Amino acid sequence: MSDKSPTRELTFAEAIREGTALCLARDPRAFVIGLGVPDPKGIFGTTAELAAEFGADRALDVPLSENALTGLVIGAALGGMRPILTHQRVDFALLSLEQIVNQAAKWYYMFDGRGGTIPIVIRMIIGRGWGQGPQHAQSLSSWFAHIPGLKVVAPASPADAKGLLVASVEDDNPVIFLEHRWLHNMRGPVPEGYHRTPLGECLVARSGSDVTVVASSHMVIEALRAADFASAHAGVEMEVVDVRCLNPLDFETIANSVKKTRGLVVADDDTRQCGFAAEIVARVGEAGLKLNAPPVRVTYPDCASPSSSALAAVYYPAAPDLFLAAARIVGRGASLVDKFPKRPCPVDVPYLEFPGPF
Amino acid sequence: MSDKSPTRELTFAEAIREGTALCLARDPRAFVIGLGVPDPKGIFGTTAELAAEFGADRALDVPLSENALTGLVIGAALGGMRPILTHQRVDFALLSLEQIVNQAAKWYYMFDGRGGTIPIVIRMIIGRGWGQGPQHAQSLSSWFAHIPGLKVVAPASPADAKGLLVASVEDDNPVIFLEHRWLHNMRGPVPEGYHRTPLGECLVARSGSDVTVVASSHMVIEALRAADFASAHAGVEMEVVDVRCLNPLDFETIANSVKKTRGLVVADDDTRQCGFAAEIVARVGEAGLKLNAPPVRVTYPDCASPSSSALAAVYYPAAPDLFLAAARIVGRGASLVDKFPKRPCPVDVPYLEFPGPF
Amino acid sequence: MMANSPVPLSQPPRAETSSQICDRLWRLYLEMLRIRVIERRIAERYGEKEMRCPVHLSIGQEAVAVGVCAHLRKQDKVMSAHRSHGHYLAKGGNIRAMLAELYGREAGCCGGRGGSMHLIDREAGFWGAVPIVGSTMPIALGLALADKRRGGDELTTAFFGEGATEEGVFTETLNLACVLRVPMLFICENNGFSVYTPLSLRRAPDFEFGSYVRSHGSLYFSGHGNDVEEVFALTGQALSAMRQDPGRPCVVEFSTWRYYEHCGPGQDDHLGYREAEQIKHWAERCPLAVARTRLLALSPALDPEMTAAEKRYIREIDAVIENVRSSPMPDAATLQRGVFAP
Amino acid sequence: MMANSPVPLSQPPRAETSSQICDRLWRLYLEMLRIRVIERRIAERYGEKEMRCPVHLSIGQEAVAVGVCAHLRKQDKVMSAHRSHGHYLAKGGNIRAMLAELYGREAGCCGGRGGSMHLIDREAGFWGAVPIVGSTMPIALGLALADKRRGGDELTTAFFGEGATEEGVFTETLNLACVLRVPMLFICENNGFSVYTPLSLRRAPDFEFGSYVRSHGSLYFSGHGNDVEEVFALTGQALSAMRQDPGRPCVVEFSTWRYYEHCGPGQDDHLGYREAEQIKHWAERCPLAVARTRLLALSPALDPEMTAAEKRYIREIDAVIENVRSSPMPDAATLQRGVFAP
Ligand SMILES: Cc1ncc(C[n+]2csc(CCOP(=O)(O)OP(=O)(O)O)c2C)c(N)n1
Ligand SMILES: Cc1ncc(C[n+]2csc(CCOP(=O)(O)OP(=O)(O)O)c2C)c(N)n1
Ligand SMILES: [Mg+2]
Ligand SMILES: [Mg+2]
């Protein structure tokens, strides 16, 4: 790992692109495949110019056949390749769950190792933006985290996007790599060179003593905003634990944080019932960790994601909701939520210039 | 509802068959469709002779096309029919999740009611038996319960199998009807006539004061066995709450039980992480219900279901495990687990005469 | 308000044209023009960022929608996919409900929940569009099956792009239609691209769509999709073939071209993913220009009427847009309404 | 111990037969006989309830497995589905590992985790079978793609039933093979049934599998699957067609019949789901009987050798079974081993 210029900034999408290019350069067995991989937009820039740089057979476009395509990368992996499969939306990957769940996830286990490993990375874009609506804005992270044998990664920063992608490609297991659409254009420092972030380690993204917020992917951004406000205005110190990898789950880091703060908010960019947030709350309960107040899940309500910005505004929880949950647990500052700075842009885009339409 | 002969006994499979026949007789819009529906074995007897009784177009066999078939029943339902779709294993339904999740579950909501309702019942057989192995013994109940817009039903008794099936066919929403393979041949009293069990109500299958066991489907049987033993040998009174309907969930009944017993065991025929058991534990935690000891989940370990009986014996939790969990919570009787009566048959069949091979 | 339904072909010939052919073409042209004007307006106003959802314009593909729907009665059913504006409008879908949906308003056909990719107007016989490629094909088949079982004579039509035929669900659906003998109409709009991906990366050079379809036991026709008269005639042939061979589904493939980017309000030929020659070929075959030239040859006097019609449609769509823009957004309190049907 | 690999055809002709034809047929026959004996033994002993997993016997379908695999080298790859015993054995899969798997033992090819529906022996070139219908087809394609990219000359073959071709994944896989130009061999065993469901409920009367396949741009052959010489010859033709047209996949369809129930150790013709005439037709075409008759016509002296071979195979399988039955069950402590690869 090299860390020559830690202050160099890239967008999340550029970081994925850089990580991918490094993998392709380093390992001739790696290739990227999926609808739109070599196209002019290059999956929001994450695969831009890879075909030009590495050749058309290292960055492949394909017919609309999500199911067979998934089988194909499983077989290619068995045959020694290291494919990176992309889905422009997790919603499309629903067509391929048989292959992911029955085959990729179980192969190594069910053949007792003699079947070989399935080193594939399946990138899926999750989350909202610009009124995508009910069939283009799901998360389903708990679905993947429910399946033994799948590693499930959900980076929140450009650095982790790169580091976790590289580690995912190196990993000998099928890895579901979830990218929230609102992260792609976010900038942040990204280590140069072949940089790897181990799978299965939570990151304490901000430390605090009063209450723990467990979050992943874009919810980490919201949690950090909430924590900034809470610290500055309410004297509440929120500790933000970025899950980063939903499976295998580094519960120890979460438990240590909760032991310290005795307060728990779980933020999850997904609907509530049987979501990943439930798992965190359940583990904390089972572990018998003492809490000063009942734990709180901050999630989407249990309905599909609506398109209209008027409904999106109430559907998606954000930093103020996390602040409010934390303040109530701590027992002070809740009324300050009205002072929470207004978003600088409409609720259905991550920032004012968000281009849409996808 | 008629209750002429409450002591009449049927098997779980016969009860489903009877409920289905009543629906077909009462509502000309209802039909059953799926691989093997009219075949000599009639899906473990649940569809036996329906084609003979109601005609070939009310009990249809089909090509191997789970995905399109699901779309077909969605469309037929929109067109005014009331289809009952069967899958011989939940594992095969993985091919149809796009239709179930994106279309059936969301249709009514996403078109704001103007799209019409999707009154379909999708029967899926879950669970183990006779070494089915990694791809024929899943549950995935939490997956379905995670999706807003799907009702999820999992009966544990012949009476409920009939009553919930009838209610599912009457319901205007897509209903996922989960049948554990080990239940089909179990006998129990079944009300005669057109009998309906409302969706969304838990059943206190056995009342007790010391600890609550929340269970569904076949785990209810194990929980009742555990409760019998606990009461007879350890003086521990386990209250068994049969969930029956995972979505919408009647949490009130569960909460009332937990308030009374201040102890919680959740039994789930599924792998652990992000399973349905996590949801129950999370809700109890969030509700701030006081417990005398941390809650316990009794689930499969997080690995695929192995075929060999030697591994099945340790993979599947059973009555003794539930007793042990309860005894530990209550703080007495745990050592009596060694006295738990041995199963009268091998661990990989529900009873000695279980025919196999499916 | 603009007309919400396509001009039905059963109306008596108009007085101002002499021949029936000219009359029909005039009405088909008007309907194409109406759709073109509406979509152009959407494109023009999209930059205002008030339509906050993806839009897949069908500009260039109007002839298929109009030529096919001209055969359909109100009770006949249509389903479509992401690129459905044209199908919705040609089938008589409510224009205000559509625009309100694009503007995320309460009055939208989905109450604002769906956006452009989820159009519906069951009263007009438009039973829904969703953006998962291929997914309405089996649903439409189910609708057709229900009608068949009820003994109804409604025809169900599914519109989809050639990309959708690559999904396994296409063969599964077509096979089910053949096996269950459900006479449904599949309209494939082959515009050569799936987003930026050309057919050459998605099908082998010797792939034969016609024999693929026929091998299932289905009828198959194909023709030029930018000539509305050919679309109309071929659809008529397809329908009469279906009547002569009851119980058989039919797939009709039309070649066509989209003039705008896959999704969004702009044109993107500068990106270079489509060959200049192709672009030129299709630019010369704009379905409106083709029809217009032919109409003017038949009846030069229509020229001012065309201009007048276009102006009228512009006025009408602008009025709809203004009306919609001043209409309320959905009430946030309704967010969770209808997760379950009562 | 029995031979674990099929008799390779490159061996010099045996001394006791005069013609090469006879020699080849004799070896093919022996391999079919070996498989038949093994599966018959499984059926006979299944009632002891020690093989505690579903079994899908391929009794009656041996000629396809043997005739195809006779062309394959050890490094060539095979994948299969639920009915895979024949393919596994014909490809040279380890017989003890297979039986141990059926008996749920530690020595099973999956350590007891899979049961009969999950056979694997990569050393023999058998890369796995799983019971989700159709699912190994694209996986096999991926294997073939990997070999192609590596510049290897291995051939990958997927065996599947005709039911698998109804799943959308079949067309998706075949299309990907054609588009990516991956020369892989698809062997379809058409035994007319998917469990109890006849083809007539699954395909239209005029469904044309050959043109379905060819429409993708794939090669296609078909023939009698109960005549091992025809299977061998046709597979040879298919392979040379593939060599002549590099980059093209090939589908070969063989008609055949299973003599036993879909799943389990018994016969179930009394259930009446198969017509008496069909049953009779196929009973007369047992692949072993067909080969035997032909062999004896060529070389009557083989009769006692056949009997001797059968006895030997019975002894061998019985020895394997006894060996396996006394072998240990998997250690419960290993239950969670290998959920993730290290
Ligand atoms: C199952 C699925 N995969 C991928 C997508 C992304 N997508 C949206 S439209 C589209 C192109 C479809 O091409 P075609 O069917 O030819 O329709 P066209 O856009 O050309 O009208 C794609 C790939 C999707 N919506 N659904
Ligand atoms: C996706 C899926 N659907 C259903 C099944 C149940 N099933 C197991 S084998 C089988 C029959 C398959 O028929 P075919 O492919 O012709 O093979 P055969 O059994 O005739 O050898 C079926 C339906 C399954 N295993 N997988
Ligand atoms: Mg297209
Ligand atoms: Mg078959």
Side-chain angles (χ1 to χ4, degrees):
Chain A
M1 281 194 229
S2 79
D3 228 44
K4 290 172 212 148
S5 160
T7 58
R8 178 194 64 144
E9 297 214 332
L10 293 180
T11 65
F12 189 92
E14 287 162 354
I16 289 179
R17 201 266 172 211
E18 186 170 280
T20 307
L22 285 163
C23 291
L24 293 184
R26 187 183 173 108
D27 191 340
R29 301 168 305 169
F31 66 94
V32 190
I33 187 166
L35 218 79
V37 162
D39 82 22
K41 297 256 173 98
I43 322 263
F44 309 118
T46 60
T47 59
E49 302 298 326
L50 290 177
E53 192 172 336
F54 296 95
D57 63 345
R58 306 288 303 281
L60 278 84
D61 212 334
V62 286
L64 269 159
S65 301
E66 287 81 357
N67 189 19
L69 195 61
T70 307
L72 180 98
V73 296
I74 291 171
L78 285 174
M81 315 290 293
R82 301 190 87 86
I84 303 169
L85 172 62
T86 62
H87 290 290
Q88 293 183 330
R89 286 276 159 200
V90 68
D91 317 68
F92 313 155
L94 285 172
L95 290 165
S96 62
L97 286 174
E98 193 287 306
Q99 287 287 342
I100 295 175
V101 171
N102 286 334
Q103 314 306 340
K106 300 192 205 305
W107 203 270
Y108 186 74
Y109 177 85
M110 76 188 170
F111 290 116
D112 200 17
R114 272 159 278 189
T117 57
I118 315 257
I120 56 176
V121 179
I122 309 187
R123 291 178 45 204
M124 299 185 188
I125 290 165
I126 63 172
R128 57 183 142 157
W130 198 257
Q132 296 296 326
Q135 299 184 348
H136 277 56
Q138 292 173 80
S139 157
L140 296 178
S141 57
S142 70
W143 275 31
F144 299 111
H146 180 54
I147 303 300
L150 294 181
K151 294 199 175 175
V152 184
V153 171
S157 70
D160 277 348
K162 175 174 172 181
L164 290 170
L165 184 90
V166 167
S168 298
V169 173
E170 285 186 355
D171 200 282
D172 268 343
N173 296 281
V175 179
I176 306 294
F177 193 90
L178 302 172
E179 301 164 27
H180 193 291
R181 179 68 189 102
W182 278 23
L183 295 172
H184 282 121
N185 298 54
M186 289 199 49
R187 300 191 80 78
V190 176
E192 281 186 81
Y194 195 78
H195 155 76
R196 171 197 308 121
T197 308
L199 306 186
E201 293 183 9
C202 291
L203 173 77
V204 179
R206 176 185 178 119
S207 66
S209 50
D210 295 333
V211 55
T212 299
V213 185
V214 176
S216 63
S217 190
H218 181 257
M219 269 297 181
V220 175
I221 310 300
E222 300 289 345
L224 290 172
R225 279 190 197 134
D228 282 348
F229 178 84
S231 176
H233 298 89
V236 171
E237 297 305 323
M238 295 167 65
E239 176 147 309
V240 178
V241 179
D242 176 356
V243 174
R244 299 203 289 192
C245 187
L246 284 64
N247 195 18
L249 177 63
D250 166 19
F251 182 63
E252 203 186 322
T253 299
I254 295 169
N256 286 340
S257 176
V258 172
K259 275 179 207 156
K260 179 174 73 175
T261 65
R262 294 174 146 252
L264 176 64
V265 175
V266 189
D268 193 14
D269 248 323
D270 197 359
T271 54
R272 189 184 202 78
Q273 180 152 308
C274 297
F276 182 72
E279 177 65 25
I280 300 294
V281 174
R283 289 218 198 183
V284 167
E286 276 184 325
L289 303 184
K290 294 280 168 296
L291 296 172
N292 294 333
V296 174
R297 286 184 280 178
V298 178
T299 68
Y300 303 166
D302 279 317
C303 62
S305 160
S307 174
S308 170
S309 57
L311 296 172
V314 285
Y315 184 80
Y316 296 102
D321 305 286
L322 292 174
F323 166 71
L324 190 61
R328 285 192 180 139
I329 282 176
V330 175
R332 62 177 189 273
S335 65
L336 294 170
V337 71
D338 299 329
K339 302 236 164 64
F340 213 99
K342 276 226 150 29
R343 297 193 87 225
C345 66
V347 291
D348 56 353
V349 286
Y351 52 90
L352 203 56
E353 309 75 30
F354 185 74
F358 265 107
Chain B
M1 288 194 228
S2 80
D3 230 44
K4 288 170 212 149
S5 159
T7 58
R8 179 193 64 142
E9 296 213 331
L10 293 180
T11 65
F12 189 93
E14 288 163 353
I16 289 178
R17 200 267 172 212
E18 185 170 283
T20 307
L22 285 162
C23 292
L24 293 185
R26 188 185 172 110
D27 191 340
R29 302 168 305 171
F31 66 94
V32 190
I33 188 167
L35 218 78
V37 162
D39 82 23
K41 298 257 172 96
I43 320 262
F44 308 118
T46 60
T47 59
E49 302 298 327
L50 290 176
E53 192 173 334
F54 296 96
D57 62 344
R58 306 289 302 284
L60 280 82
D61 213 333
V62 287
L64 269 159
S65 302
E66 287 82 0
N67 189 19
L69 196 61
T70 306
L72 180 97
V73 298
I74 291 171
L78 286 174
M81 314 291 293
R82 300 190 88 83
I84 304 170
L85 172 62
T86 62
H87 290 290
Q88 294 184 330
R89 287 277 159 199
V90 69
D91 316 67
F92 312 156
L94 286 173
L95 290 165
S96 63
L97 286 174
E98 193 287 307
Q99 287 287 341
I100 295 175
V101 170
N102 285 335
Q103 313 307 338
K106 301 193 204 305
W107 203 270
Y108 186 74
Y109 177 85
M110 77 186 169
F111 290 116
D112 200 17
R114 273 160 277 189
T117 57
I118 315 259
I120 56 175
V121 180
I122 309 186
R123 290 179 45 205
M124 299 184 189
I125 291 167
I126 61 172
R128 57 183 144 160
W130 199 258
Q132 296 297 324
Q135 299 185 347
H136 278 56
Q138 292 172 81
S139 157
L140 297 178
S141 57
S142 70
W143 274 32
F144 299 112
H146 180 55
I147 303 300
L150 294 181
K151 294 198 175 177
V152 184
V153 171
S157 70
D160 278 349
K162 174 173 171 181
L164 290 170
L165 184 91
V166 168
S168 297
V169 175
E170 284 186 353
D171 200 282
D172 269 342
N173 296 283
V175 180
I176 305 294
F177 192 89
L178 302 172
E179 301 164 26
H180 193 289
R181 178 69 189 102
W182 276 25
L183 294 172
H184 283 120
N185 297 54
M186 290 202 50
R187 300 191 79 77
V190 176
E192 283 186 78
Y194 195 80
H195 156 75
R196 170 194 313 119
T197 308
L199 306 186
E201 294 183 10
C202 291
L203 173 76
V204 178
R206 174 185 178 120
S207 67
S209 50
D210 295 332
V211 56
T212 298
V213 184
V214 176
S216 63
S217 190
H218 180 258
M219 270 297 181
V220 174
I221 311 298
E222 301 288 345
L224 290 172
R225 281 192 195 130
D228 282 348
F229 178 85
S231 176
H233 297 90
V236 170
E237 297 304 324
M238 294 166 66
E239 176 147 306
V240 178
V241 179
D242 176 356
V243 174
R244 299 205 288 194
C245 189
L246 283 64
N247 193 18
L249 177 64
D250 166 19
F251 183 65
E252 204 185 324
T253 298
I254 295 169
N256 286 339
S257 176
V258 172
K259 276 178 205 157
K260 181 175 71 175
T261 64
R262 291 173 148 252
L264 175 64
V265 176
V266 189
D268 193 14
D269 248 323
D270 197 359
T271 52
R272 190 185 202 77
Q273 179 152 307
C274 297
F276 182 71
E279 177 66 25
I280 300 293
V281 173
R283 288 218 200 185
V284 166
E286 276 185 326
L289 302 184
K290 293 280 168 298
L291 296 173
N292 295 333
V296 174
R297 288 183 279 178
V298 179
T299 67
Y300 303 167
D302 279 316
C303 63
S305 160
S307 174
S308 171
S309 56
L311 295 172
V314 285
Y315 183 80
Y316 297 105
D321 305 286
L322 292 173
F323 165 72
L324 190 63
R328 284 192 180 141
I329 282 176
V330 175
R332 62 177 190 276
S335 65
L336 294 167
V337 71
D338 298 331
K339 303 234 162 65
F340 213 98
K342 275 225 147 36
R343 297 196 84 223
C345 65
V347 292
D348 57 351
V349 288
Y351 53 89
L352 204 55
E353 309 77 30
F354 185 75
F358 265 110
Chain C
M1 284 289 292
M2 323 179 55
N4 271 326
S5 49
V7 189
L9 286 157
S10 47
Q11 279 190 2
R14 296 165 58 110
E16 66 273 21
T17 59
S18 54
S19 80
Q20 265 208 301
I21 291 171
C22 176
D23 178 62
R24 185 173 62 218
L25 183 55
W26 174 236
R27 282 179 284 134
L28 294 170
Y29 174 79
L30 283 180
E31 186 59 8
M32 291 198 294
L33 182 64
R34 186 175 76 97
I35 296 171
R36 172 72 57 95
V37 164
I38 292 168
E39 286 206 297
R40 226 169 37 203
R41 217 35 160 191
I42 291 170
E44 284 158 8
R45 301 198 65 161
Y46 197 75
E48 295 166 3
K49 299 200 173 184
E50 292 187 27
M51 290 178 262
R52 302 179 77 82
C53 62
V55 286
H56 299 78
L57 302 178
S58 53
I59 291 178
Q61 305 188 193
E62 297 90 347
V64 180
V66 169
V68 170
C69 288
H71 285 280
L72 306 180
R73 302 160 306 168
K74 191 169 179 181
Q75 66 268 36
D76 292 328
K77 294 170 180 157
V78 161
M79 296 193 86
S80 178
H82 56 287
R83 196 177 309 286
S84 71
H85 298 171
H87 312 136
Y88 175 95
L89 292 169
K91 187 61 176 65
N94 184 294
I95 172 70
R96 180 168 181 264
M98 170 178 150
L99 263 296
E101 191 58 36
L102 269 64
Y103 276 91
R105 305 293 152 147
E106 188 178 15
C109 57
C110 312
R113 290 173 176 191
S116 151
M117 305 191 290
H118 292 270
L119 299 184
I120 196 159
D121 186 343
R122 282 172 53 160
E123 269 166 42
F126 191 85
W127 282 63
V130 302
I132 304 294
V133 171
S135 291
T136 44
M137 298 190 291
I139 299 177
L141 180 65
L143 275 178
L145 177 72
D147 285 337
K148 179 186 159 164
R149 292 199 156 208
R150 202 190 292 108
D153 74 336
E154 300 92 336
L155 175 74
T156 299
T157 302
F159 285 95
F160 49 89
E162 88 291 347
T165 70
E166 293 148 24
E167 295 282 6
V169 72
F170 176 66
T171 179
E172 292 187 4
T173 302
L174 192 59
N175 188 52
L176 280 169
C178 293
V179 169
L180 300 174
R181 298 188 54 70
V182 182
M184 150 175 176
L185 185 60
F186 296 82
I187 302 289
C188 176
E189 290 180 60
N190 181 353
N191 63 11
F193 285 81
S194 164
V195 194
Y196 301 102
T197 312
L199 259 177
S200 58
L201 293 176
R202 301 182 283 131
R203 293 296 195 183
D206 45 2
F207 174 72
E208 283 266 6
F209 188 55
S211 51
Y212 180 79
V213 166
R214 284 201 196 93
S215 70
H216 291 80
S218 167
L219 298 166
Y220 171 79
F221 294 86
S222 70
H224 295 111
N226 278 21
D227 177 346
V228 73
E229 290 192 290
E230 178 163 340
V231 172
F232 182 79
L234 198 69
T235 306
Q237 270 180 48
L239 294 175
S240 79
M242 287 172 79
R243 274 188 296 271
Q244 274 158 41
D245 195 354
R248 240 184 239 285
C250 182
V251 177
V252 189
E253 179 191 7
F254 291 109
S255 56
T256 183
W257 193 252
R258 63 170 158 73
Y259 289 143
Y260 280 57
E261 60 189 336
H262 167 69
C263 178
Q267 281 164 300
D268 65 354
D269 282 330
H270 60 279
L271 293 178
Y273 67 100
R274 303 198 285 193
E275 287 164 25
E277 210 171 307
Q278 285 182 309
I279 293 170
K280 182 161 168 289
H281 173 93
W282 286 101
E284 287 161 3
R285 280 160 187 80
C286 166
L288 274 101
V290 168
R292 186 187 153 90
T293 308
R294 239 180 262 161
L295 268 175
L296 292 180
L298 289 166
S299 172
L302 282 174
D303 199 4
E305 285 206 47
M306 286 173 179
T307 314
E310 181 161 358
K311 286 208 178 116
R312 191 172 73 247
Y313 291 143
I314 292 173
R315 264 198 322 276
E316 286 173 351
I317 177 67
D318 283 345
V320 169
I321 289 176
E322 287 324 310
N323 172 297
V324 160
R325 289 179 70 220
S326 64
S327 77
M329 293 299 260
D331 179 354
T334 64
L335 176 68
Q336 295 199 60
R337 183 179 66 200
V339 173
F340 288 119
Chain D
M1 283 290 295
M2 323 183 52
N4 270 325
S5 50
V7 188
L9 285 157
S10 44
Q11 278 190 3
R14 293 164 60 107
E16 66 272 23
T17 60
S18 54
S19 81
Q20 264 209 298
I21 292 170
C22 177
D23 178 61
R24 184 172 62 217
L25 183 55
W26 173 237
R27 282 179 283 135
L28 294 170
Y29 174 79
L30 282 180
E31 186 59 7
M32 291 198 295
L33 181 65
R34 186 175 77 96
I35 296 172
R36 173 71 56 95
V37 164
I38 292 168
E39 287 207 295
R40 227 169 39 202
R41 217 36 161 190
I42 291 170
E44 284 158 10
R45 302 198 64 159
Y46 197 73
E48 295 167 3
K49 299 199 170 183
E50 293 187 26
M51 289 177 262
R52 303 180 76 83
C53 64
V55 286
H56 298 78
L57 302 177
S58 53
I59 292 180
Q61 305 188 191
E62 297 90 345
V64 180
V66 170
V68 170
C69 288
H71 286 280
L72 306 180
R73 301 160 304 167
K74 192 171 178 181
Q75 67 268 37
D76 291 328
K77 294 171 182 159
V78 161
M79 297 195 83
S80 178
H82 56 288
R83 198 177 307 288
S84 71
H85 299 172
H87 312 135
Y88 175 93
L89 292 169
K91 188 61 178 57
N94 185 296
I95 172 69
R96 179 166 183 264
M98 170 178 151
L99 264 295
E101 191 58 36
L102 270 64
Y103 275 92
R105 305 292 152 148
E106 190 180 12
C109 56
C110 312
R113 290 172 175 191
S116 151
M117 305 190 292
H118 293 269
L119 300 184
I120 196 159
D121 186 344
R122 281 171 54 160
E123 268 165 42
F126 192 84
W127 281 63
V130 302
I132 304 295
V133 170
S135 291
T136 42
M137 297 189 293
I139 300 177
L141 180 65
L143 276 179
L145 177 71
D147 284 336
K148 179 185 159 166
R149 291 198 158 208
R150 202 188 293 108
D153 74 337
E154 300 93 335
L155 174 73
T156 298
T157 302
F159 286 94
F160 49 88
E162 86 292 348
T165 70
E166 293 149 24
E167 296 282 6
V169 73
F170 176 66
T171 179
E172 291 186 5
T173 303
L174 192 59
N175 188 52
L176 281 169
C178 293
V179 169
L180 300 175
R181 299 189 54 72
V182 183
M184 141 172 185
L185 185 59
F186 296 81
I187 301 290
C188 176
E189 290 179 61
N190 181 354
N191 63 10
F193 286 81
S194 164
V195 193
Y196 300 104
T197 312
L199 258 178
S200 58
L201 294 175
R202 300 183 284 130
R203 292 296 194 183
D206 45 3
F207 174 72
E208 285 265 7
F209 187 56
S211 51
Y212 180 79
V213 166
R214 282 200 198 94
S215 70
H216 291 79
S218 167
L219 299 167
Y220 171 78
F221 294 86
S222 70
H224 295 111
N226 278 23
D227 177 345
V228 74
E229 291 192 288
E230 177 162 342
V231 172
F232 181 80
L234 199 69
T235 307
Q237 271 181 50
L239 294 176
S240 78
M242 288 171 78
R243 274 189 294 270
Q244 273 157 44
D245 195 354
R248 240 184 240 285
C250 182
V251 178
V252 188
E253 179 190 7
F254 291 109
S255 56
T256 183
W257 194 253
R258 63 168 157 75
Y259 290 144
Y260 279 56
E261 60 189 338
H262 166 70
C263 178
Q267 282 165 300
D268 66 353
D269 283 331
H270 60 279
L271 293 177
Y273 68 98
R274 302 199 284 193
E275 286 164 26
E277 211 169 306
Q278 284 182 309
I279 293 170
K280 183 162 166 290
H281 172 94
W282 287 99
E284 289 160 2
R285 282 163 184 79
C286 167
L288 275 100
V290 168
R292 186 186 151 90
T293 308
R294 241 181 260 160
L295 270 175
L296 291 180
L298 290 165
S299 172
L302 282 175
D303 199 4
E305 284 208 45
M306 286 174 179
T307 314
E310 181 161 0
K311 286 209 181 116
R312 191 174 72 247
Y313 291 143
I314 291 173
R315 265 199 319 276
E316 285 173 351
I317 176 69
D318 284 346
V320 169
I321 288 178
E322 288 325 309
N323 173 295
V324 159
R325 286 177 71 218
S326 64
S327 77
M329 294 298 262
D331 179 355
T334 64
L335 177 68
Q336 295 197 61
R337 183 180 65 200
V339 172
F340 288 119

